[in-house]
């Protein structure tokens, strides 16, 4: 077993992404702290696939909390595709409260691996995931994020099954061929 995945037997909240301001990892940490303060018996962990938290992602409160709870937050900066898939499959909740996204691969990957996903509606995320994610209406609203995360983590029945399926390579190829044929026919090329 890979040493990076020693945390897998426990319950955990997952975030995948870099430390850019728009990823809103500060809200991920704050929502986890809120949940642990709400239920002192909750012993789950927070796993960040990405770099360690930077100063702009920390508040005075979170710095104090992190000093007391170092073993509750795990950072993995390099992970194989196979181990990333295992991490998605074993997470209780995947949180992605981005302010801005182009496409948003991590929520798609989480959903495809049947991980309960909470995400903002930015970029193409809503168009692709539709009912396969729970949504944050305003990624600036820490209270909304806290309530969704604590409900998902502390509710033993909270495990969403995804119905999302990606098209096959063959299906995509056929669709492209048909699209090009249509363009050629309509334009008499």
């Amino acid at each position: 077993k890979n040493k990076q995945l020693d945390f897998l037997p426990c319950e955990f909240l997952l975030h995948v992404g870099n430390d850019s301001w728009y990823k809103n990892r500060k809200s991920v940490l704050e929502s986890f702290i809120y949940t642990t303060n709400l239920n002192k018996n909750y012993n789950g962990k927070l796993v960040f696939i990405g770099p360690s938290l930077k100063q702009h992602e920390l508040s005075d409160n979170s710095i104090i909390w992190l000093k007391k709870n170092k073993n509750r937050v795990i950072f993995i900066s390099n992970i194989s595709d196979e181990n990333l898939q295992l991490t998605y499959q074993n997470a209780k909740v995947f949180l992605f409260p981005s302010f801005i996204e182009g496409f948003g691969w991590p929520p798609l990957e989480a959903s495809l691996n049947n991980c309960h996903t909470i995400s903002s509606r930015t970029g193409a995320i809503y168009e692709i995931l539709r009912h396969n994610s729970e949504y944050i209406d305003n990624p600036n609203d820490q209270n909304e994020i806290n309530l969704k995360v604590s409900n998902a983590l502390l509710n033993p029945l909270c495990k969403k099954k995804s119905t999302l399926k990606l098209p096959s390579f063959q299906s995509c190829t056929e669709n492209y061929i048909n699209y090009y044929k249509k363009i050629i026919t309509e334009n008499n090329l």
Side-chain angles (χ1 to χ4, degrees), residues 13-81:
L13 171 65
L14 176 64
H15 180 272
V16 176
N18 62 40
D19 59 355
S20 296
W21 67 269
Y22 63 89
K23 293 296 184 182
N24 197 13
R25 294 191 324 159
K26 182 177 186 175
S27 286
V28 175
L29 177 60
E30 292 295 333
S31 68
F32 186 73
I33 292 171
Y34 174 85
T35 301
T36 61
N37 288 338
L38 190 63
N39 183 344
K40 299 292 185 193
N41 294 322
Y42 178 72
N43 60 359
K45 295 191 184 286
L46 171 56
V47 176
F48 284 102
I49 304 294
S52 297
L53 292 165
K54 303 298 186 263
Q55 194 62 40
H56 73 273
E57 299 173 297
L58 300 170
S59 65
D60 292 341
N61 176 49
S62 64
I63 291 170
I64 293 167
W65 186 90
L66 282 167
K67 285 179 183 176
K68 294 178 184 175
N69 296 279
K70 289 179 184 173
N71 65 334
R72 303 284 301 268
V73 182
I74 298 164
F75 298 94
I76 302 173
S77 58
N78 293 311
I79 190 167
S80 69
D81 289 341

Side-chain angles (χ1 to χ4, degrees), residues 146-158:
N146 290 349
L147 294 175
K148 287 188 188 270
V149 169
S150 63
N151 182 54
L153 288 176
L154 300 176
N155 183 346
L157 303 175
C158 193

Side-chain angles (χ1 to χ4, degrees), residues 8 11-14 86-94 114-116 159:
L8 279 184
E11 183 174 290
F12 60 97
L13 171 65
L14 176 64
L86 279 171
T87 306
Y88 282 127
Q89 291 168 351
N90 286 280
K92 170 95 186 231
V93 177
F94 173 77
N114 286 316
C115 183
H116 182 106
K159 187 68 174 164

Side-chain angles (χ1 to χ4, degrees), residues 110-154:
S111 186
L112 287 169
N113 282 286
N114 286 316
C115 183
H116 182 106
T117 301
I118 301 172
S119 177
S120 53
R121 295 176 190 262
T122 187
I125 294 169
Y126 179 75
E127 294 300 316
I128 294 167
L129 295 183
R130 298 289 176 164
H131 65 277
N132 290 293
S133 180
E134 186 174 349
Y135 294 99
I136 298 161
D137 293 321
N138 179 359
N140 286 303
D141 186 346
Q142 188 64 51
N143 188 49
E144 179 189 10
I145 297 169
N146 290 349
L147 294 175
K148 287 188 188 270
V149 169
S150 63
N151 182 54
L153 288 176
L154 300 176

